[in-house]
Each structure stands twice: as C-alpha cells, then as structure tokens.
Amino acid sequence: MILKSIWKITFFCCIFYSGWAQIKLAVKPNEVSSDISPQMWGIFFEDINFAADGGLYAELIKNGSFQFPIALTGWRLNKPKPEDQWLVINQQKRSLTNTRVARIVKTTDSSAYTLTNEGFRGIGLLKNEKYNFSLWAKGVSGNLKLRIEVLKTTGARIAMAEFNTISGPWKKYELPLTATDSVYAGVLKISFIGKGSVEIDNVSLFPVNTFKNRPNGLRADLAGLLDSLKPGFVRFPGGCIVEGRDLQNRYQWKNTVGPVENRGMIVNRWNMEFARRAAPDYYQSFGLGFYEYFQLAEDLGAEPLPIINCGMACQFNSGEVAAMDELDPYIQDALDLIEFANGTIQTKWGKLRASMGHPAPFNLKMLGVGNEQWDAQYIERYLVFEKALKTKYPQIKLVAGSGPSASGPLFDYAWKQLKTSKADYMDEHYYLPPAWFFNNAKRYDRYDREGPKIFAGEFAAHDKEEAIPESRNSWLSALAEAAFMTGLERNADLVRMCSYAPLLAHIDAWQWRPDLIWFDNLKAVATPNYYVQKLFSNFKGTHIIPVTMQDSILAGQDSLFASSVLDKNQNQVIIKLVNMARSSKKIEIHIDGLPPDKFQARGITLNSRLSNDFNSLKNAKIQPLEKQYDILDSILAAEVAPSSFQVFVIQYGSPKISK
Ligand code: AHR
C-alpha cells in the first residue's frame, strides 16, 4: 500500500515536472540573419466553393444574363397563359460575349407573368440595408410595367420597387431598394404588369455597401476579413481554375475585363469535380474579373500575383496541352496582361484599364506561369514563356510550379529542371495531414539556397473528415500549420511568399475543405487557421533573428516550436511559440541586448484543449486572447497554455512608421 502510494506520488511528480520544468529560450535581436519579404504572408484566391459568384463578388442574382447553357438556370418562369411568350434570343449585335437576351411577350392585361430568381442558395438581405436593383431592357411593343420584389420563403415581401414603363432602345434601368427585414434565403420576383413586350438582360441586385464602396464591388464582411490579414500579396484567379478541365474552358483574363454587362462566362471547373459535392449550377460570370482582382490587391495594400495559363489544362482532368508551335496566343495573353496592368494609357490594354477607371498602372511585379503543372510537358512550355516574358519584361518576377506534391519524383524532376532557369520563385504545394506539418517544421532549414526562392503557394493541414463542414478546420490543423510556419519564418531568407489554400467556402455550396474562411448568405466566420495566418502576417517583422533552446533551433523538442523576428519599423521583437503538448509549460525567454529597463510585452494566445475543436458560423469559440507580461532583467517569464500558439510582442522603442 505504502509502496503503491510512493509510486503514485513519483508518477504524478514526473508528469508535473515534465510539464512545469523551466524551459529557457534565448532570443538574440542583434543577430539579424536576413530580411523578411514584405510579401511573406499573402492570400490565395480561387473561385472554388462559390468563392466568387455567391461569395466575395457581391452580386446576388444567379445567371442574371441568361448565359448558362440552360437559360433558365436559377430562374422560375410563371407564365400561365399559353399565348404569352418566353424566348431566349441570341443577339450578337449588342455583345459578342454576352449574346443572350430574354424576350417577354404578354398578350393581356389581366394574366400573371413572373420571373423569380433563387440567387446563390437563396438571396440574403439584411434589415435596413440598401440594395441597387438594375437590369438592361428594351421596349418592344405595348406598355409593360415591372414590379421588383424580394420575398421571404413565407412569401412575405421585404423590398419592392417599380419601373412604370420600359420603352425605347436598350438602356440600363436602376432603382434603390431597402430591406425592411433580414432574409437568409429569399427570392427576387419580377412581375410583368400590363400588355406588351420587352427584352431584358443583366438582371442584378447589388448591396450598396461594398468593400471600399466600389461599384461592382465585393462583399464588405468577406473583404474586411481579408483586409484584417494585412496580406502581402493576392494570388488570383487560382488554382486549377487557371487550367480548366480542358483548354477551351481555361481561364482567359481578356474575357473578364471591360464593361461588366459584356463579359462572357464559362462553366466553373469545380462544378462536377466531386460527385458527392456536385454543383451543376456553378458557373463563372466574370463579374469579378482581372480588373477587380487588381483593384482588390491595391485596396488591401498587397502585391498582385496573377497566374496565367501556360497552354495546359488540368492534368488531373483532360491533361490537354497546346501544341508547342501553337503557344503564341497563350504567350500573347501573358504579355498583354502585363500591358493591361502596367502599360500607359496610350497602349491598347493600358487604355482599357483606364477606361475601366484606373488610369494609373497597377504596378504588377510578379506573374505565375501555370498552376500545378508537372512533368516534361510543363517544363518545355514554361521555358518558352520564360524566354518571351524575360525578354520583353526582365523586371517581372516569374513563379514556376513544382507540381501537386511536396516531394517525390515529379517534384524532384521539376526542381532539377528549373533550378538553373530564370524562374524567381518555385511554387510548392502541401495538402497533408497535421502530423506532416509538425514533422516538417525543419523542411527548409537545410534547403539548397541556390536557385529560385520558395513560394509556399498552397498549403493546409488536412485533418479527419467529419460531418460538419467547418469542422475540418480543426484546432489541431491550425496548430500544426503554426508549428510549420515557424519553420517558414525561420527560413524567410529563402521562403519569400506563403499562402494558405483555399481561401473561402460557402457553407451550402462548398466542394473542398478545409478553407480559411467559411461564410453563408449573411455572415462569415474566421477559422482557427485564419487566426494563425493573421498573427503571422500582422506580426511578420522585417528581419529574422534567432530563437534557440540550448543553442539549438526550436522545432519539436519538448513539443515546442519557435521563430523570432525583429520589426525595425515598429521597434519590436516578436516571438512566435507553439506548444503542441497537452500540458502547460513554464518558459523563460531571455532577450539579449534590451536596455535594462522594465518592459511590457503583449502576449497573444490562440488555443483550445480539444484538438477537434473548430469555429462554426454559429459559434466562433477559438479567438486570440491578449494579456500583458512584464519583462524584468530582459527575461519574459510566461506559462504557456497546453496546445497553444502564442505571439509575444516586445515594444523596445517607439514605432517608426504606422502599420
Ligand atoms: O486549393 C484547391 C486546389 O488544390 C487548387 O485549385 C489546386 O492548385 C490544388 O490542387
């Protein structure tokens, strides 16, 4: 009995001791090893999971221009009188890209004739918010009045406006609407009243409140979350969306610019990719096009990073490639894109940019050639692009791809072939289980420093699948990413850009998870992974400094991972620390070279005791919490919570520039 008790005491003491032993870390602000790229932490935008139409792009009407192959997709036509007509007319005189218009013919005053749009999994309106309804229309004969209503599922009306007459040639009709109540999944109903005939096109319902109040703009809440990340770059438009399932359906930026009512549309390559998450109504309207992406990057204070198709369709799908002697149009698209972004208003494409509202250049500095391409067919195409682009625009930095995997024969082959090329960055992707991220925190410590720099262009820790959509953004996945990112930061001399992927997912219309931000028709939630990205990005610093435990890099010993940076603009020393253990740890951080004053440090903690915890749209429980620490004799002493990510910010002088 006594022996048993002694054993028990010893056992608990060991646990207690292993959790509570004082761990000493040394941070050396005077030993700066490299600068950190201002573009270190950015965002990867792809139109997947209804991220563009139905998501970031604030338009609320689906298929408002009747261009979907089935012209009434998203619409319900109520035309009880057989004599009345509904016709979809291909009219190429108005636009070669948006060719269809709808003709409505109503033969009597008394009959009902309505068109109802379901939006993107419903239309979400917020009480007291203002919206703009618009459509293009032409009066054909008679006198038809249009009543516009937004209805709840109960049929209750929450917004209404009327156009008393539609007459004369094509023009835009607009009216403001104010929602008298909120609705999550409402519908827009157009009633044609009277007798006569009209043609209509480009039906639109748009919130007045968009990000930075841009017309044809972005959902303010979603773009606001992107803004809070303070991203260094915006990569667009993807992802596999760049490639298309086949070359005909590849992303062509020229179809996405110019007046919004003339833009074409194509099928979204994610619509039927996964049978279990099929979305046959998923198309790209291009209302959010390359001009808007450049504008977004500028509004976020980030560098634009467009990725262009390199004459290859998705190798997971058709794998179709353009013939080597037929690459010119693809290359021309790339060259013209640089002119669109940077050319003077005297140039063809610079003039188009100016006509869209941005005479000043967008100052494009980087371009990706191909997305997740692999093997010899990529290398030979990439090199042709590289030659043409570097000849005409030597100052533009090029991003080349290393394929879909973080290692293996295709990855090694791409690196071997491109190491001595003029590529400035190699794009590496890792979608792997959390354990891989913990185990690879040292991935770049011994990487070859010769050759292109690293763009960690797509990564996310893929935890187990569970039923609730947001649940795959588990706390464990976020913690694993944080641990791995300490390694990215420690190697910021080599790793110059990083982005989590994908960025956005609609809760009712997703294809791929995990994702950084989940949203529905009315609101959005930041995942734990989002907060990890935000803390790294908001406290990215300007220079790497060492943080060590017993003179070694801290990457897994005692279940701890750390990196440290100096922010010379803010006069801050910043330490990022991950504790993957289920016990708390007492640490002492010894900071060399601080003046002998008493300092205060901010400590920001993100944690959960449950590895499968997550933030849902209903309950965002994992949030950063902040507290103050005293630093005495250059020592910051803290008790680090179990399973946590901490950022310590030590302000050793006044900030030099505002963030
Ligand atoms: O992020 C989702 C997809 O993952 C991207 O489109 C592609 O590049 C990668 O395979």
Side-chain angles (χ1 to χ4, degrees):
M1 184 67 189
I2 291 174
L3 258 181
K4 215 173 169 185
S5 300
I6 290 173
W7 182 87
K8 256 190 184 168
I9 290 164
T10 318
F11 176 77
F12 283 115
C13 280
C14 280
I15 294 231
F16 182 78
Y17 179 75
S18 75
W20 285 81
Q22 195 79 278
I23 292 169
K24 290 192 177 145
L25 307 184
V27 176
K28 302 204 165 115
N30 293 326
E31 292 182 19
V32 163
S33 57
S34 159
D35 74 314
I36 296 167
S37 161
Q39 283 74 54
M40 182 71 180
W41 309 107
I43 55 177
F44 162 97
F45 181 89
E46 173 164 27
D47 188 4
I48 183 172
N49 305 316
F50 279 49
D53 291 345
L56 186 61
Y57 181 50
E59 175 61 75
L60 294 165
I61 303 299
K62 181 167 69 189
N63 190 22
S65 57
F66 310 103
Q67 291 293 314
F68 286 24
I70 298 173
L72 275 174
T73 302
W75 293 97
R76 209 178 60 242
L77 172 67
N78 178 30
K79 184 183 75 62
K81 256 192 169 313
E83 311 84 273
D84 290 349
Q85 280 179 29
W86 161 260
L87 204 57
V88 177
I89 308 176
N90 190 307
Q91 260 184 19
Q92 307 207 357
K93 275 194 202 138
R94 279 186 58 234
S95 161
L96 280 173
T97 35
N98 174 13
T99 52
R100 285 185 184 167
V101 304
R103 177 176 290 185
I104 287 96
V105 181
K106 194 155 171 281
T107 53
T108 56
D109 274 333
S110 55
S111 64
Y113 193 129
T114 59
L115 264 180
T116 308
N117 191 280
E118 66 187 15
F120 301 93
R121 307 295 185 267
I123 293 176
L125 296 194
L126 287 167
K127 187 173 176 175
N128 296 330
E129 282 293 312
K130 295 189 167 49
Y131 299 85
N132 272 329
F133 174 84
S134 66
L135 85 172
W136 283 74
K138 177 176 117 176
V140 179
S141 63
N143 189 15
L144 277 185
K145 166 167 140 181
L146 266 55
R147 176 175 302 144
I148 314 300
E149 295 163 285
V150 179
L151 308 175
K152 290 176 140 184
T153 33
T154 56
R157 181 163 75 200
I158 60 162
M160 191 188 88
E162 284 186 351
F163 298 98
N164 285 328
T165 184
I166 301 288
S167 60
W170 282 103
K171 64 174 183 265
K172 191 174 183 181
Y173 291 78
E174 285 179 276
L175 275 175
L177 293 173
T178 301
T180 56
D181 202 354
S182 293
V183 63
Y184 177 77
V187 292
L188 176 105
K189 183 171 163 190
I190 309 176
S191 303
F192 299 87
I193 299 163
K195 189 173 154 187
S197 173
V198 292
E199 287 174 5
I200 62 169
D201 197 3
N202 300 107
V203 181
S204 165
L205 181 64
F206 224 94
V208 168
N209 172 30
T210 57
F211 183 59
K212 306 262 180 198
N213 293 319
R214 300 250 171 243
N216 193 46
L218 307 178
R219 233 177 91 164
D221 60 339
L222 293 177
L225 280 169
L226 303 185
D227 199 24
S228 300
L229 287 169
K230 298 189 181 162
F233 65 90
V234 180
R235 168 179 166 167
F236 57 88
C240 295
I241 207 98
V242 172
E243 307 156 5
R245 294 172 79 85
D246 52 28
L247 283 174
Q248 199 188 343
N249 288 301
R250 72 190 186 276
Y251 197 100
Q252 298 186 63
W253 72 268
K254 289 176 181 166
N255 295 340
T256 76
V257 292
V260 75
E261 61 274 11
N262 288 345
R263 296 185 195 170
M265 61 110 232
I266 56 168
V267 67
N268 186 300
R269 54 94 63 237
W270 293 106
N271 75 338
M272 302 302 278
E273 182 75 15
F274 303 117
R276 67 185 197 288
R277 298 293 312 166
D281 60 338
Y282 198 2
Y283 284 77
Q284 298 177 81
S285 75
F286 295 136
L288 172 55
F290 260 43
Y291 178 86
E292 289 76 18
Y293 286 126
F294 278 115
Q295 185 65 72
L296 172 64
E298 187 173 274
D299 285 344
L300 296 176
E303 294 294 341
L305 171 49
I307 310 290
I308 42 141
N309 187 293
C310 63
M312 298 181 73
C314 184
Q315 287 163 280
F316 289 113
N317 299 141
S318 71
E320 192 183 8
V321 294
M324 284 303 290
D325 59 356
E326 291 178 16
L327 281 178
D328 283 356
Y330 297 81
I331 293 170
Q332 196 57 49
D333 276 356
L335 296 170
D336 291 344
L337 177 61
I338 299 172
E339 187 178 293
F340 177 73
N342 294 351
T344 66
I345 57 173
Q346 278 75 40
T347 61
K348 176 180 172 190
W349 294 103
K351 189 171 168 192
L352 176 63
R353 182 194 70 238
S355 75
M356 294 180 74
H358 204 290
F362 281 118
N363 285 321
L364 177 69
K365 299 187 184 86
M366 324 180 259
L367 189 64
V369 178
N371 171 45
E372 206 175 55
Q373 265 62 61
W374 64 78
D375 222 341
Q377 62 265 41
Y378 174 56
I379 306 300
E380 58 180 345
R381 282 167 185 77
Y382 168 80
L383 291 173
V384 178
F385 271 77
E386 182 187 276
K387 188 165 178 217
L389 287 163
K390 287 284 185 191
T391 304
K392 186 152 186 203
Y393 295 108
Q395 74 283 15
I396 296 283
K397 303 243 184 278
L398 295 183
V399 177
S402 64
S405 322
S407 58
L410 291 173
F411 176 87
D412 294 342
Y413 174 77
W415 261 108
K416 189 164 171 230
Q417 298 299 317
L418 295 176
K419 187 151 210 117
T420 51
S421 72
K422 293 201 174 82
D424 298 278
Y425 302 96
M426 278 293 266
D427 182 7
E428 297 193 351
H429 295 180
Y430 7 85
Y431 295 109
L432 288 151
W436 184 91
F437 284 82
F438 286 118
N439 292 334
N440 281 272
K442 287 184 170 172
R443 176 181 172 95
Y444 294 109
D445 290 351
R446 290 206 172 71
Y447 234 63
D448 189 350
R449 258 61 184 167
E450 299 300 315
K453 302 284 185 199
I454 304 294
F455 169 33
E458 294 183 32
F459 67 87
H462 281 201
D463 206 346
K464 293 186 292 286
E465 296 267 10
E466 307 274 1
I468 301 171
E470 308 97 304
S471 66
R472 212 176 185 203
N473 284 95
S474 65
W475 172 239
L476 178 67
S477 72
L479 194 65
E481 286 153 11
F484 181 73
M485 287 164 74
T486 61
L488 298 179
E489 189 168 83
R490 183 171 54 249
N491 289 283
D493 62 312
L494 172 69
V495 182
R496 303 298 280 178
M497 294 190 290
C498 314
S499 43
Y500 182 99
L503 187 62
L504 293 165
H506 192 299
I507 194 92
D508 301 322
W510 58 273
Q511 291 77 48
W512 177 298
R513 61 178 179 163
D515 305 284
L516 204 62
I517 296 167
W518 286 89
F519 63 92
D520 65 17
N521 287 348
L522 296 179
K523 56 189 184 311
V525 66
T527 59
N529 317 70
Y530 171 94
Y531 288 116
V532 167
Q533 296 296 318
K534 181 175 171 178
L535 288 171
F536 270 90
S537 179
N538 284 198
F539 297 102
K540 64 173 172 275
T542 55
H543 293 82
I544 320 169
I545 54 174
V547 49
T548 52
M549 187 172 83
Q550 292 167 348
D551 291 329
S552 296
I553 280 161
L554 190 50
Q557 311 93 300
D558 267 336
S559 306
L560 293 170
F561 300 80
S563 57
S564 186
V565 300
L566 193 65
D567 191 319
K568 289 195 179 175
N569 298 324
Q570 297 297 315
N571 279 335
Q572 290 170 341
V573 172
I574 300 161
I575 300 138
K576 308 203 175 78
L577 184 64
V578 170
N579 175 18
M580 70 179 279
R582 284 168 186 271
S583 54
S584 60
K585 310 251 177 199
K586 267 193 173 173
I587 55 150
E588 271 185 4
I589 307 178
H590 294 245
I591 305 136
D592 267 12
L594 283 184
D597 322 354
K598 179 174 159 187
F599 284 95
Q600 286 243 299
R602 292 166 69 192
I604 305 160
T605 303
L606 198 59
N607 80 310
S608 169
R609 281 180 181 264
L610 299 174
S611 57
N612 62 353
D613 223 359
F614 60 94
N615 283 348
S616 71
L617 276 154
K618 291 198 186 95
N619 186 4
K621 47 187 157 168
I622 305 174
Q623 303 271 345
L625 290 175
E626 186 160 343
K627 83 177 214 192
Q628 294 291 118
Y629 290 88
D630 284 334
I631 301 184
L632 291 172
D633 297 330
S634 303
I635 299 173
L636 191 163
E639 185 181 326
V640 174
S643 186
S644 66
F645 171 46
Q646 336 275 323
V647 181
F648 296 106
V649 184
I650 300 152
Q651 192 76 49
Y652 61 85
S654 314
K656 287 187 198 148
I657 55 168
S658 61
K659 272 196 177 171

